[in-house]
Amino acid sequence: MCCVVGSSDQFEMWAQRCLHEGALAGQKLFRVVSRTHALPAQPAREVTIIDPAGLPFNGSKTLTVENIFAMYRHEAAKAREEGFTGMRVLADMRWTLAFPALLSQLAAFELRLDEVVAELGATVVCVYGESNHARRDLAEVVAVHPLTSGMPAADPGFRIWNLDRGTWEIAGEVDESNVDLFGRALTATLANGPVRRLRCGALRFVSAAGIRALSEVGQAQRSRTMVIQDASPMLRRCWAIFELDENLSQVGLEPAAGVSKEVAG
Amino acid sequence: MTKTVQVPPFQHEALLYDGIGQFVDSIVPFIREGLEAREQVLVVVAPAKIEALQGELGSDAGRVSFADMTSLGRNPARLIPAWRRFIDSRPSLGVIRGVGEPIYPDRSPAELVEAQAHETLLNVAFDATPGLKLWCPYDVGALPPEVVAEARRSHPIVVAPGGGESPSDTYLHEHPSPDRRDQPLPPPPSHAKEFTFASEPGELGIVRGIVWQYAVRAGLSRLGVDSLTVAVNEIATNSQRHGGGRGLLRLWTQDGSVVCEVSDAGLITGSPLLGRTFPPMEQRRGRGLWLVNQLCDLVQIRSGPGGTVIRLHLRGDHD
């Protein structure tokens, strides 16, 4: 889940509520926060603080995405050993500001995190401040979260998130205003391994350029088959108009369940 | 010894006939001649004429490809891509023989102009494509004289019933406006709904919502509603990108069709075949107009120094 907040006060109020819900659910609570950012003076409950910059994983002291995921795996296992139902991580994403390389790949990072969260059954809430991150970066981050809290000024208009290994869900509307972002988000999914299934039942609209972006995912993994699931009659019609059904045979379009062959055309 | 096969240049000829009898008597020998020469033959005419030709051809009809002009050519801008596909599907550089009747009495005045543009654009599209011999029949008994006169301007050869060919002395080798982008459109009706849009985020979504709602209320099918919404989105996107960043959307119903007009300050330049040439996957531009032509029953594009106006028509019986 992603939360976009406007101020530190808003953030803290929201953080306390989030952690309270986690405590009620029997989860072990974590806060990811950089040591350069102030912590609440008196934490209301037992919360383990993690400073990503200080993670000495594999003895390398180098922060990589895989280090962070290894930490999550390690802590999730430990939490279960200690009798917790799981882990809840509240991540103050200001720590990413210190890592420009990561900052430029936030969407890819979040999509990869999606997979790890699904694997661990953990709850991870990433909190971004509107005054800290660029509007474009925030839109990109919001786009790759199925749930968003707060009122992000830069709503990307679509969402894409991981359901299972190789399976992604797409929701919303894609047109000229967000197609570049859509293309980048789709490209980021490929960084996590082959895309086998794109579920599009909640994709309410997709423009010609958006269809091209979808086709590029299939084209990028030529030797693998991919299914665009729950494709609307209109998406299937446009796909055929661009002759993608003939020229991109490794990509199959499946109509939504309950749509007869006749209606599917 | 190698045998050299001479492939003739593109031949675009108007057959001037009077009534279904002369049509069948002229077209059947033309088709048979092609079949005897082992040419591939495609005939795109109205269903009643397909039936008449098939009856006369008997078992030979199975060697001919037929397509319904009232469906395939409902939007005349879809015809050049269809001919191109047929040509590209030939196994080797053989001769293709075609019959296409895009202009028939049932065409509305708006369709007629676009069908005439199609006839002229055939000369542009296939000028460098050898091996296509295309007859375009014109029913002189049912069409107004000015339409027949225009046929003489768009076809270098005129064929009389019985097959006698003669050059057209009014043929325009260099048509000043092959795509008719400079032809004036009748003004929109006073009751047309009007909405302006700009390039702000969310504006395209608003345009889509307006079109969708109007098309639903006008009684279009679900697929028709979605087709029109997708098509208008592409045209409005062009206004945002190339038309000065804003546009005016007008909507009205006319003769059983929903008409959506998008106008802006832009000027369309470039190939007159814009929207009639298939955009391969790697091509980023020109995809929108291709899609629009395939989705709509009629597309009228007008562009000049005063700006661009594009009208999209979708009929109530669109499926």
Side-chain angles (χ1 to χ4, degrees):
Chain A
M1 176 176 180
C2 163
C3 177
V4 179
V5 293
S7 67
S8 325
D9 288 349
Q10 222 183 352
F11 171 74
E12 203 45 50
M13 200 168 69
W14 200 89
Q16 290 307 324
R17 199 171 66 217
C18 174
L19 292 169
H20 178 66
E21 283 171 8
L24 290 177
Q27 293 172 317
K28 187 171 181 180
L29 307 177
F30 296 85
R31 278 187 80 153
V32 177
V33 60
S34 167
R35 74 184 76 143
T36 56
H37 299 121
L39 286 171
Q42 292 176 316
R45 53 188 57 80
E46 195 174 329
V47 178
T48 304
I49 303 295
I50 299 169
D51 179 355
L55 293 174
F57 273 91
N58 303 329
S60 68
K61 292 194 186 265
T62 307
L63 181 78
T64 66
V65 170
E66 288 312 317
N67 284 346
I68 295 166
F69 298 148
M71 178 272 291
Y72 280 148
R73 287 195 181 93
H74 172 76
E75 293 295 346
K78 209 166 124 190
R80 293 206 189 274
E81 280 171 18
E82 290 167 358
F84 289 97
T85 57
M87 67 188 290
R88 174 171 290 227
V89 182
L90 180 74
D92 176 351
M93 297 303 281
R94 280 180 296 179
W95 69 265
T96 57
L97 297 170
F99 299 92
L102 183 61
L103 207 56
S104 65
Q105 299 167 40
L106 276 178
F109 169 79
E110 291 279 4
L111 286 171
R112 181 81 182 90
L113 180 60
D114 243 9
E115 285 202 68
V116 175
V117 166
E119 172 195 318
L120 301 177
T123 305
V124 178
V125 182
C126 299
V127 186
Y128 291 85
E130 283 188 326
S131 54
N132 303 317
H133 287 86
R135 191 182 167 98
R136 181 191 132 133
D137 292 341
L138 282 180
E140 206 152 324
V141 164
V142 170
V144 296
H145 283 87
L147 294 171
T148 309
S149 180
M151 294 287 285
D155 190 296
F158 72 91
R159 302 286 189 276
I160 177 165
W161 69 95
N162 183 255
L163 289 175
D164 195 355
R165 209 146 184 85
T167 302
W168 302 82
E169 176 99 30
I170 305 174
E173 301 189 8
V174 176
D175 61 22
E176 187 65 13
S177 66
N178 59 6
V179 72
D180 290 342
L181 185 61
F182 183 61
R184 285 200 300 276
L186 286 173
T187 304
T189 63
L190 287 167
N192 297 331
V195 175
R196 296 189 181 90
R197 197 166 280 270
L198 288 175
R199 280 177 44 172
C200 293
L203 180 60
R204 294 188 303 275
F205 180 84
V206 59
S207 65
I211 289 169
R212 187 174 183 277
L214 283 172
S215 73
E216 282 175 340
V217 181
Q219 203 178 17
Q221 39 180 28
R222 271 224 170 263
S223 58
R224 293 179 188 276
T225 57
M226 183 179 96
V227 172
I228 296 181
Q229 193 182 325
D230 298 340
S232 67
M234 200 59 211
L235 173 54
R236 280 177 282 131
R237 186 170 184 198
C238 293
W239 194 264
I241 284 172
F242 287 121
E243 298 181 10
L244 294 166
D245 49 346
E246 294 169 26
N247 299 326
L248 210 55
S249 55
Q250 72 272 30
V251 180
L253 266 67
E254 283 180 0
V259 177
S260 71
K261 287 279 182 195
E262 287 73 27
V263 174
Chain B
M1 186 176 158
T2 310
K3 189 181 171 188
T4 308
V5 178
Q6 287 291 325
V7 179
F10 173 48
Q11 293 165 269
H12 187 204
E13 306 178 0
L15 166 70
L16 306 183
Y17 71 94
D18 189 356
I20 185 75
Q22 277 192 4
F23 173 85
V24 173
D25 290 348
S26 303
I27 298 293
V28 167
F30 178 70
I31 292 174
R32 287 202 191 282
E33 191 181 277
L35 294 177
E36 279 161 21
R38 298 188 173 279
E39 296 169 0
Q40 284 182 280
V41 182
L42 172 62
V43 177
V44 191
V45 295
K49 285 176 175 160
I50 291 176
E51 205 174 310
L53 290 173
Q54 286 174 332
E56 196 63 26
L57 285 165
S59 60
D60 282 340
R63 296 164 61 198
V64 178
S65 300
F66 290 96
D68 176 2
M69 178 58 84
T70 61
S71 171
L72 176 68
R74 182 184 273 200
N75 176 359
R78 290 201 287 258
L79 289 167
I80 285 174
W83 284 111
R84 174 62 67 195
R85 238 184 341 265
F86 191 70
I87 291 165
D88 290 346
S89 71
R90 64 185 159 177
S92 58
L93 196 63
V95 174
I96 301 272
R97 189 169 287 239
V99 177
E101 189 174 21
I103 293 176
Y104 44 88
D106 291 345
R107 286 283 197 198
S108 69
E111 288 175 341
L112 177 64
V113 174
E114 302 312 311
Q116 287 173 329
H118 157 73
E119 286 281 42
T120 311
L121 287 170
L122 280 167
N123 301 321
V124 179
F126 298 115
D127 185 44
T129 306
L132 173 62
K133 185 177 175 69
L134 181 60
W135 270 18
C136 303
Y138 282 75
D139 189 345
V140 296
L143 291 166
E146 61 272 20
V147 173
V148 179
E150 181 58 35
R152 291 179 182 277
R153 285 192 284 272
S154 56
H155 295 78
I157 304 288
V158 174
V159 185
E165 297 183 359
S166 58
S168 168
D169 49 11
T170 53
Y171 173 63
L172 292 171
H173 288 272
E174 295 289 333
H175 198 287
S177 178
D179 51 16
R180 310 304 199 266
R181 274 181 212 168
D182 60 351
Q183 289 255 323
L185 289 171
S190 57
H191 64 265
K193 308 272 184 208
E194 287 191 3
F195 305 91
T196 54
F197 61 93
S199 296
E200 296 303 312
E203 297 261 319
L204 286 174
I206 294 169
V207 167
R208 291 196 296 272
I210 290 167
V211 173
W212 193 88
Q213 204 169 38
Y214 190 90
V216 167
R217 285 187 183 157
L220 291 188
S221 68
R222 177 61 203 255
L223 201 56
V225 170
D226 288 346
S227 296
L228 194 62
T229 305
V230 168
V232 173
N233 178 78
E234 295 301 326
I235 302 301
T237 298
N238 285 347
S239 293
Q240 287 187 334
R241 286 177 66 106
H242 314 295
R246 55 193 307 108
L248 173 65
L249 169 70
R250 287 194 178 98
L251 300 152
W252 69 93
T253 52
Q254 178 185 303
D255 303 328
S257 292
V258 175
V259 184
C260 292
E261 178 187 286
V262 177
S263 52
D264 60 47
L267 172 66
I268 297 178
T269 55
S271 169
L273 294 170
L274 194 68
R276 287 173 163 87
T277 310
F278 176 73
M281 220 166 359
E282 60 276 10
Q283 184 181 315
R284 285 190 177 271
R285 296 194 178 275
R287 304 179 73 78
L289 272 178
W290 170 265
L291 183 62
V292 166
N293 271 332
Q294 300 300 314
L295 291 175
C296 295
D297 293 325
L298 190 69
V299 178
Q300 296 167 286
I301 301 175
R302 302 294 182 267
S303 192
T308 292
V309 180
I310 299 183
R311 276 186 196 170
L312 312 177
H313 300 239
L314 216 82
R315 283 176 17 186
D317 60 353
H318 183 94
D319 48 14

